[in-house]
Amino acid sequence: MKKTLALTLAAAMALSLAACSGDTASESSSAAGTSEAASASTSAETGTVANKDKPLVWYNRQPSNSTTGELDMEALTFNDNTYYVGFDANQGAELQGKMVVDYIAAHADTIDRNGDGIIGYVLAIGDIGHNDSIARTRGVRSALGTAVEGENGIVSDPVGTNLEGKATQVQDGTLEVGGKTFTVRELASQEMKNSAGATWDASTASTALTTWSSSMGDNIDIVISNNDGMGMAMFNIWSKANGVPTFGYDANADAVAAIAEGYGGTISQHADVQAYLTLRLVRNALDGVDINTGIATADDAGNVLSDDVYYYDEASRSYYALNVAVTADNYKDFMDSTVPYAPVSNQLDTTAHPEKTVWLDIYNAADNFLSATYQPLLEKYDDLLNLKVDYIGGDGQTEGNITNRLGNPDAYDAFAINMVKTDNASSYTSLLSQ
């Protein structure tokens, strides 16, 4: 199947990416039910289905207020066939924090590089307005005891530099490991946003660490990142050569391989499950079947997911994949991040499930996780699910760079949308409502 990827400004970018909890899949799968399966199975070419009624899946960036985190329920309930697919950000954030604490405990004799009794860490924050980034920052600070409560929960704001431990956004924590009591301090953190406005920027992260290391040197015992793109940039520029463990998120292939070279660990957000759910929900809505076909219940090809890899939250119409910590103990099992998840890798019959067309965008064509892991998985699943997908790559900066290529929604049967900013769902729904 021919795939189309519109790469805009990708050569100038080296960006890295990167939600909530609910009922278990077994408890709530029936709630999604056939009542939400659409009459949208009619082909777009007939013109009998209005664009506003066609299946719509938000993925990776949940429609929400970037300041408060409040979900945009108008976008999440745009029509009867609208859903969100992501991962459990809070569960993943807790895992990342625990992974760092476990590493400290296992290396208590060597973790404090200058022997001052302070375990100092620096933190690369992806996007201060992104729910997943906020959750990861909070998860790390909570696990390390450096969290401070604010009006909206644990403060996730960057501290700038904090060598003396006087920042108000965090506090010094305490860890007792290996018979020793350590002070834990967030020495520095900042949002990795480049001059053009794009966030999760790997180049900005490497520059930041170069600056921090020149002034703080062996005070830095650990490097932590909201994602692997920034994490690997910092690992390659400084951490690896100085033997400083670096922890990321996403289980990108290069980060997993780097664990053998000293990368501390990463978190797999089960991209294989997320990519499947993104297109499976579209397929089910177009087929007019129970929305959980091939998800909670087996389809006619035998595809089905177990409830230990995902769950459905009916209130937010959201499907969440669960996370797995990837460390030196198990990293060899995660070396190829683009392999479809075996229980849902069976080909659908084209007679029962005829080809349909889908418009799908990626907020930034240069994003490490989405372009190097998520899209290759989508491209394998679209074949298995008999979907012809047009892949649109944005510049990571403006919605207009993406929406201006949705000029003919009539040509598509369904849509899968990955926004630049979580606040901007209406930029897309207004086009589909015309």
Side-chain angles (χ1 to χ4, degrees), residues 200-258:
W200 304 87
D201 187 55
S203 179
T204 302
S206 64
T207 300
L209 185 56
T210 298
T211 300
W212 292 336
S213 62
S214 67
S215 62
M216 291 183 279
D218 60 6
N219 288 287
I220 302 174
D221 302 306
I222 296 172
V223 175
I224 304 173
S225 174
N226 280 174
N227 77 352
D228 281 333
M230 299 182 300
M232 280 300 295
M234 295 190 294
F235 183 70
N236 289 329
I237 199 70
W238 183 78
S239 304
K240 179 180 177 180
N242 288 275
V244 176
T246 301
F247 298 87
Y249 203 113
D250 287 337
N252 288 347
D254 59 343
V256 173

Side-chain angles (χ1 to χ4, degrees), residues 269-292:
Q269 53 175 279
H270 255 314
D272 49 359
V273 172
Q274 288 186 68
Y276 173 75
L277 286 168
T278 299
L279 294 182
R280 184 76 219 201
L281 291 168
V282 168
R283 179 79 260 177
N284 288 346
L286 291 170
D287 286 348
V289 299
D290 188 297
I291 201 63
N292 280 295

Side-chain angles (χ1 to χ4, degrees), residues 93-330:
E94 291 174 3
L95 270 182
Q96 189 185 32
K98 182 179 184 299
M99 177 173 61
V100 176
V101 171
D102 288 347
Y103 185 96
I104 293 172
H107 299 82
D109 293 336
T110 58
I111 193 67
D112 182 9
R113 296 203 303 143
N114 64 2
D116 64 353
I118 300 173
I119 298 175
Y121 71 92
V122 296
L123 174 64
I125 296 174
D127 181 342
I128 58 174
H130 191 300
N131 279 357
D132 296 342
S133 183
I134 291 169
R136 294 170 197 178
T137 297
R138 288 173 171 172
V140 166
R141 289 177 176 174
S142 178
L144 294 175
T146 57
V148 171
E149 288 287 337
E151 292 182 1
N152 297 311
I154 293 174
V155 175
S156 59
D157 299 333
V159 302
T161 56
N162 183 41
L163 182 60
E164 302 301 324
K166 296 179 180 180
T168 58
Q169 300 93 332
V170 292
Q171 64 182 1
D172 282 355
T174 301
L175 278 180
E176 294 186 13
V177 292
K180 300 179 181 180
T181 299
F182 293 100
T183 295
V184 182
R185 179 171 298 165
E186 186 169 308
L187 299 174
S189 57
Q190 74 175 60
E191 179 185 37
M192 299 307 169
K193 185 176 185 177
N194 69 17
S195 59
T199 53
W200 304 87
D201 187 55
S203 179
T204 302
S206 64
T207 300
L209 185 56
T210 298
T211 300
W212 292 336
S213 62
S214 67
S215 62
M216 291 183 279
D218 60 6
N219 288 287
I220 302 174
D221 302 306
I222 296 172
V223 175
I224 304 173
S225 174
N226 280 174
N227 77 352
D228 281 333
M230 299 182 300
M232 280 300 295
M234 295 190 294
F235 183 70
N236 289 329
I237 199 70
W238 183 78
S239 304
K240 179 180 177 180
N242 288 275
V244 176
T246 301
F247 298 87
Y249 203 113
D250 287 337
N252 288 347
D254 59 343
V256 173
I259 291 176
E261 302 177 315
Y263 198 73
T266 182
I267 300 294
S268 167
Q269 53 175 279
H270 255 314
D272 49 359
V273 172
Q274 288 186 68
Y276 173 75
L277 286 168
T278 299
L279 294 182
R280 184 76 219 201
L281 291 168
V282 168
R283 179 79 260 177
N284 288 346
L286 291 170
D287 286 348
V289 299
D290 188 297
I291 201 63
N292 280 295
T293 301
I295 301 174
T297 58
D299 64 14
D300 48 16
N303 296 303
V304 66
L305 292 172
S306 56
D307 60 12
D308 61 344
V309 295
Y310 88 103
Y311 65 89
Y312 174 64
D313 177 48
E314 183 181 8
S316 62
R317 300 178 63 83
S318 299
Y319 285 80
Y320 299 110
L322 296 175
N323 303 265
V324 180
V326 182
T327 67
D329 295 330
N330 64 349

Side-chain angles (χ1 to χ4, degrees), residues 321-349:
L322 296 175
N323 303 265
V324 180
V326 182
T327 67
D329 295 330
N330 64 349
Y331 77 95
K332 292 181 180 179
D333 297 331
F334 294 83
M335 294 296 285
D336 188 346
S337 61
T338 65
V339 176
Y341 190 54
V344 290
S345 59
N346 300 317
Q347 178 71 52
L348 296 187
D349 178 70

